[in-house]
Amino acid sequence: MHESPLCAAVLDAVVHRANGRRVAEITVAVGVAHRAVDVAFQQMFDHMAEDTVADGCVVVLREIPYRFGCAACGQSGELADALPLCPACDEVVRVSGGDEIVLESLTYAGS
Ligand SMILES: [Zn+2]
């Protein structure tokens, strides 16, 4: 499945940071390029996290948009998709980001 390597990377980070504590919930910032669908990611994570400190952990995904900078008009900001057109002047812009994976927070069970 598409989410598998992403999910494995997140789980690795969770297990490492938790250092033996039980994890109840995590928040993960994921670039839109990964197209991590919440339900699919949660199901995959549930499966992979069995018998780890993150067994039964709730996954909250926060999507990070692409960023762009326009050479024509100087506009910069965020784009929800990879269509590389400047919203200000319709010139083709350079798009970056969207491929981040950041484990933003962990909530430990019983805390
Ligand atoms: Zn522009």
Side-chain angles (χ1 to χ4, degrees), residues 68 70-75 86-91 93:
F68 76 94
C70 179
C73 74
Q75 185 92 3
C86 176
C89 71
D90 283 340
E91 285 294 318
V93 294

Side-chain angles (χ1 to χ4, degrees), residues 2-3 5-6 29-37 41 63-64 66 98-102:
H2 177 248
E3 283 82 7
L6 178 61
V30 182
V32 293
H34 290 293
R35 304 194 186 286
V37 180
F41 191 93
E63 207 167 62
I64 301 177
Y66 296 104
D99 57 352
E100 302 90 339
I101 308 171
V102 181

Side-chain angles (χ1 to χ4, degrees), residues 14-34:
V14 169
V15 169
H16 183 75
R17 199 187 297 184
N19 196 23
R21 286 171 288 185
R22 293 281 299 177
V23 180
E25 183 176 310
I26 59 171
T27 302
V28 185
V30 182
V32 293
H34 290 293

Side-chain angles (χ1 to χ4, degrees), residues 26-101:
I26 59 171
T27 302
V28 185
V30 182
V32 293
H34 290 293
R35 304 194 186 286
V37 180
D38 292 67
V39 175
F41 191 93
Q42 177 76 63
Q43 286 173 350
M44 176 68 70
F45 192 88
D46 284 347
H47 178 69
M48 294 181 71
E50 276 176 21
D51 301 322
T52 74
V53 294
D55 197 344
C57 171
V58 173
V59 180
V60 178
L61 294 181
R62 193 174 69 77
E63 207 167 62
I64 301 177
Y66 296 104
R67 299 202 55 84
F68 76 94
C70 179
C73 74
Q75 185 92 3
S76 66
E78 298 177 343
L79 289 174
D81 57 48
L83 185 71
L85 293 179
C86 176
C89 71
D90 283 340
E91 285 294 318
V92 174
V93 294
R94 187 174 291 273
V95 175
S96 64
D99 57 352
E100 302 90 339
I101 308 171

